[in-house]
Structure formats: C-alpha cells, structure tokens
Amino acid sequence: MAGHSQFKNIMHRKGRQDAARSKLFGKLAREITVAAKMGQPDPAMNPRLRAAILAARAENMTKDTIQRAINKATAGDGENYDEIRYEGYGPGGVAVIVEALTDNRNRTASEVRSYFTKSGGNLAETGAVSFMFDRVGTIEFAADKASADDMLEAAIEAGAEDVVSSETGHEITTAADALAEVAKALEAKFGEPNKTALTWKPQTAVAVDDETGEKLLRLMDNLDENDDVQNVYSNFELSEALVAKMGG
C-alpha cells in the first residue's frame, strides 16, 4: 500500500475533528469554484466539476454549500487560483508530488518548501520525481456498494485496469483517458462513486523504517493541513506495525 493511501487510512481511523472537516470543506469548495470557472457551471457538461461535487457529497457537504461554491465562479468575485504541482524528496529520499490551488504562488511555494526542509527532505524542480509515477484515473466506491467480486467483474467489463477492495471501500484504477467512460459504466451499476479523479500512482513502493515513516507521516500531515494543498502523493510504504500504531 503506497504511503499516500496509508496516510489517508490512518486519518480515517482517527476520525476527523470539526476543525479538520472545516478545512477539508474549504478545499473541496475551492476545487468546485475552480472547476466551474474553467468550464461550464453545469456538472453534466463539466467532468471536473462533477468530480468535485461527487467528492463534496461523499464528505456530506450540503447542497447549499456546493451551490455557493459554484455561484462564486459565475459571480466573478475576483478570486483567481493557479494550479501548481510541486515535486520533491521527503525523508529517506522518497518521492513526493504536491498539487495545489493558490491565489499567492510565493506564499504557497515558501510554505511547501519549509515543510520539506523541516522534515529533512527538499523541494526539487518540476519533473524531478513525476517520472516515477503513472498518471491514472481513480474511482472510489464505498465498501457497501458491492462485494469485492461484483466490483471486480463490473470494473473489468467496463475497461478498468485494476481494482483493490478492502474494508474501507473499492478503489478502481483506469487509464487516464478511460476515466470518464469507466466511471459512467460503474455509476450506472452501483450509483454515484465517492470519487473520480486523475491521480499519480507510484510505479514502485519504497519500504521505509519506522523512524523515517513517522517523519514522512508528519510531512504528509503538514502538507494536508495547508489550505492551498489539494492532493499529496508519495511512493513510500510503511510497516504494518507503524500503520497500526499511528492509526490506533
């Protein structure tokens, strides 16, 4: 299990507090606004906006809050966000990709760089580590939407490349250009997914010792806490003992 997924599972086990949920809602709303600005404000005609709304619904964001985020895009309120990808090396030399939406490039770059530096890692040039990842489509369904066998059969039939099912849900991987088609087929069978998105999947996982693993989780946590950071991907793999310890 790659470090990014392990980190998310640990956070899921700990449960989100109100402050963390508020921060998450802010990030989801920002993505909705940006998606609506870049395309049409109709999710049926805008795949990125539809994906953003699905992610918001999965976190129980209200319809009114979602609509307000869309309205901000059409109102022309002056908020403009740049999409930026940062790449670097975390503790132990593991690869890290950070995706951000920011209205202040200098602030975000400075903050992201400081997280890497404090963890014993360093920020690198764009392209420095992304070659170690594949750009893929990811679709996530809740565990109760289908059995592992049913989801696997349907995903393969729809043209997916891989399916991983666990107690936390089903994660389907597709080729980047097949995401929309596979998502549509699976949604017709199982209902709305929790997530459809283009993501970075590490080609190989790098096992790290527990001391390095704890440093990496702190780096992931700091990045995740930043308002401008939308997604973080890495290629490290934690020991089961550390996962149990941190998620306990």
Side-chain angles (χ1 to χ4, degrees), residues 55-245:
R57 286 178 183 166
E59 295 295 341
N60 298 316
M61 183 182 283
T62 65
K63 289 183 179 179
D64 287 346
T65 303
I66 290 171
Q67 191 58 50
R68 280 199 300 272
I70 295 173
N71 291 344
K72 285 179 71 175
T74 57
D77 60 0
E79 284 187 333
N80 289 304
Y81 295 103
D82 293 325
E83 292 186 274
I84 307 174
R85 186 176 84 237
Y86 301 99
E87 300 183 26
Y89 299 93
V94 303
V96 181
I97 295 176
V98 182
E99 293 179 334
L101 289 175
T102 179
D103 57 358
N104 187 323
R105 284 172 170 264
N106 291 336
R107 178 196 66 223
T108 307
S110 175
E111 290 174 349
V112 170
R113 183 177 292 107
S114 73
Y115 301 145
F116 276 86
T117 301
K118 289 176 182 176
S119 72
N122 63 279
L123 207 55
E125 296 294 323
T126 300
V129 304
S130 55
F131 70 92
M132 294 184 248
F133 296 75
D134 293 321
R135 191 65 164 158
V136 300
T138 298
I139 307 164
E140 294 180 3
F141 283 94
D144 61 3
K145 288 284 188 175
S147 69
D149 288 343
D150 286 346
M151 183 61 72
L152 177 62
E153 182 180 352
I156 291 174
E157 185 177 332
E161 294 184 345
D162 190 27
V163 181
V164 176
S165 296
S166 68
E167 60 184 18
T168 60
H170 308 280
E171 183 175 299
I172 298 94
T173 301
T174 76
D177 58 3
L179 174 60
E181 183 180 343
V182 175
K184 183 178 180 180
L186 293 179
E187 184 173 341
K189 192 172 183 67
F190 301 116
E192 286 189 349
N194 290 347
K195 174 181 179 179
T196 62
L198 289 173
T199 62
W200 293 95
K201 181 181 179 181
Q203 294 167 358
T204 57
V206 178
V208 297
D209 60 50
D210 288 358
E211 181 180 355
T212 302
E214 291 191 25
K215 291 178 181 177
L216 283 162
L217 288 176
R218 282 195 292 272
L219 172 59
M220 297 290 109
D221 200 21
N222 286 334
L223 288 166
D224 202 52
E225 283 289 307
N226 188 284
D227 289 337
D228 298 333
V229 173
Q230 294 292 108
N231 300 294
V232 184
Y233 305 95
S234 189
N235 64 348
F236 67 89
E237 186 172 34
L238 304 174
S239 71
E240 291 302 321
L242 181 57
V243 171
K245 173 186 174 184

